[in-house]
Amino acid sequence: MAVFAYDKMGAVIHAPAEAEMAALLDSLSAEDIEHQDVSLNDEQGWSLSVFPGGLIVFENVETGEGPWHMQSVTREKILEHWKDLAAGNHQKLLSLPWVAGYGA
């Protein structure tokens, strides 16, 4: 499945490798209030956005499903969730304990 990421400045990274995903997470900073998130997206419209402090938001912008969020997710879990999205494991992601809304 084709995936792409947005860095915190809005640049697109096509088919990011795990090291590139990790670098995106490392780029987040609570002090940078203007550029707050990075995301991984797939061709079916699913998006998993990450904010400082471990807030993650999962939604499908094509179908209107979601948004759902979780708070205080570890970096390791976020990478795992991004790899699941990249592999097309939507059902695994949907089975997580999401809370409705953006959580902000």
Side-chain angles (χ1 to χ4, degrees):
M1 172 169 298
V3 296
F4 58 95
Y6 288 110
D7 72 10
K8 66 183 190 170
M9 300 302 288
V12 177
I13 302 166
H14 294 281
E18 185 174 344
E20 291 172 301
M21 292 180 195
L24 285 170
L25 295 177
D26 292 342
S27 74
L28 291 174
S29 169
E31 291 80 38
D32 187 355
I33 59 173
E34 187 175 342
H35 307 104
Q36 282 284 303
D37 70 308
V38 294
S39 66
L40 186 71
N41 309 271
D42 73 15
E43 60 192 6
Q44 294 180 334
W46 289 104
S47 174
L48 186 54
S49 300
V50 181
F51 297 82
L55 170 64
I56 62 174
V57 176
F58 187 48
E59 65 184 321
N60 188 310
V61 296
E62 297 289 325
T63 65
E65 295 172 82
W68 305 285
H69 73 277
M70 285 191 279
Q71 303 270 359
S72 301
V73 181
T74 66
R75 183 181 183 281
E76 292 75 23
K77 280 292 184 187
I78 293 168
L79 276 174
E80 180 182 321
H81 298 331
W82 270 3
K83 289 190 281 186
D84 285 336
L85 181 59
N89 293 332
H90 302 123
Q91 289 306 316
K92 182 176 178 185
L93 290 167
L94 287 167
S95 72
L96 295 172
W98 298 104
V99 177
Y102 288 105

